[in-house]
């Protein structure tokens, strides 16, 4: 693992996912020594947490359909807004 790896907090979801997939490939392929494997695993866990946080943030921005009394859609509201 290189010391010049990008800061996870500044990574996009797509970049973090790609980095996580690369770590999984290395670990599954047995390409790394024990100490490197441990460091890769730890970075992989931080990448997973970052990806999950980005997904959670995206979920919170999804709009839901608001139904009127007649059951017909009448607009949208933020996902986390009260009904």
């Amino acid at each position: 693992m290189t010391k010049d790896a990008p800061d996870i907090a500044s990574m996009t979801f797509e970049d973090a996912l790609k980095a996580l997939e690369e770590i999984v490939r290395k670990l599954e392929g047995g390409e790394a020594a024990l100490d490197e494997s441990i460091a890769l695993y730890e970075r992989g866990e931080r990448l997973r947490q970052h990806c999950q946080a980005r997904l959670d943030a995206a979920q919170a921005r999804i709009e839901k359909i608001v139904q009127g009394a007649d059951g017909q859609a009448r607009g949208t509201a933020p996902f986390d807004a009260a009904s």
Side-chain angles (χ1 to χ4, degrees):
M1 192 153 121
T2 62
K3 293 185 192 308
D4 61 340
D7 177 45
I8 292 172
S10 65
M11 296 175 84
T12 65
F13 173 81
E14 293 78 8
D15 289 341
L17 186 59
K18 185 184 291 186
L20 181 57
E21 289 170 345
E22 179 65 18
I23 286 173
V24 170
R25 186 189 65 73
K26 285 181 181 179
L27 290 173
E28 286 180 342
E31 298 175 21
L34 179 60
D35 288 341
E36 184 183 5
S37 293
I38 292 169
L40 285 168
Y41 182 85
E42 290 170 343
R43 181 166 175 82
E45 178 57 22
R46 290 190 304 274
L47 285 163
R48 185 202 63 77
Q49 290 172 350
H50 177 72
C51 288
Q52 187 63 53
R54 298 296 299 255
L55 287 173
D56 291 345
Q59 179 74 31
R61 295 175 56 193
I62 294 173
E63 292 185 337
K64 66 178 180 179
I65 297 173
V66 178
Q67 293 182 351
D70 61 357
Q72 297 297 315
R74 62 179 177 102
T76 61
F79 181 76
D80 57 351
S83 297

